[in-house]
Amino acid sequence: MNTEKNYKIVSLKDAGRCEFHDELNLTGCEMSINSLPSGVSVPFVHSHKQNEELYIVLEGAGKAYIDGDEFEIKKGDILRLNPAAKRCFSASKDKGIKFICIQTKANSLEQFSMNDGVINDEKPSWL
């Protein structure tokens, strides 16, 4: 009998950067939560060989550098970057920034939620 569960849950750590691929045994994406204190920048510009990235700003504000363009980002902003995009992020001088970064192999998604989802007959106690 298979006793392995179809889910895994971990608690968020209070750290500047938390990566979850190992803790959650991720197989289709990589995810991190990143916090930069006010006035602090990621110390390098980077790009990727094959992974696109999705950035979701959870708190605060700052700046993004993408392929030579510099622009303000703030809570609620979502950015999708091609693998080759050269990127760097910094927190504003008066407040920090916290964002999620999700990486997936570009062009690997074969179907979206509506085509992949299956409605099941079972119900939780609140339905």
Side-chain angles (χ1 to χ4, degrees):
M1 183 171 137
N2 183 1
T3 59
E4 187 173 318
K5 296 188 184 261
N6 285 328
Y7 65 91
K8 187 168 183 182
I9 186 170
V10 297
S11 293
L12 184 60
K13 299 173 190 165
D14 188 21
R17 178 175 169 86
C18 298
E19 294 181 352
F20 295 96
H21 54 275
D22 290 339
E23 288 186 58
L24 291 172
N25 301 322
L26 297 174
T27 64
C29 72
E30 183 172 344
M31 185 188 119
S32 64
I33 298 180
N34 305 269
S35 295
L36 296 172
S38 58
V40 173
S41 173
V42 172
F44 53 84
V45 174
H46 78 284
S47 59
H48 286 274
K49 297 175 185 172
Q50 60 182 2
N51 289 351
E52 67 184 13
E53 287 185 324
L54 180 68
Y55 290 87
I56 305 166
V57 182
L58 300 174
E59 298 174 5
K63 284 188 176 182
Y65 170 96
I66 313 291
D67 289 339
D69 294 333
E70 293 185 14
F71 51 91
E72 301 288 326
I73 55 175
K74 65 186 178 325
K75 178 181 177 179
D77 287 347
I78 301 171
L79 297 88
R80 184 247 175 220
L81 304 178
N82 286 330
K86 295 172 184 75
R87 65 207 78 175
C88 188
F89 297 92
S90 69
S92 69
K93 291 184 179 174
D94 59 338
K95 64 171 87 169
I97 190 168
K98 184 174 189 176
F99 56 89
I100 294 174
C101 178
I102 300 170
Q103 288 187 43
T104 58
K105 184 177 179 183
N107 301 309
S108 66
L109 188 61
E110 294 180 3
Q111 51 191 342
F112 297 93
S113 297
M114 296 305 286
N115 293 329
D116 188 57
V118 177
I119 303 295
N120 293 283
D121 292 330
E122 61 187 79
K123 298 200 182 315
S125 62
W126 60 84
L127 290 180

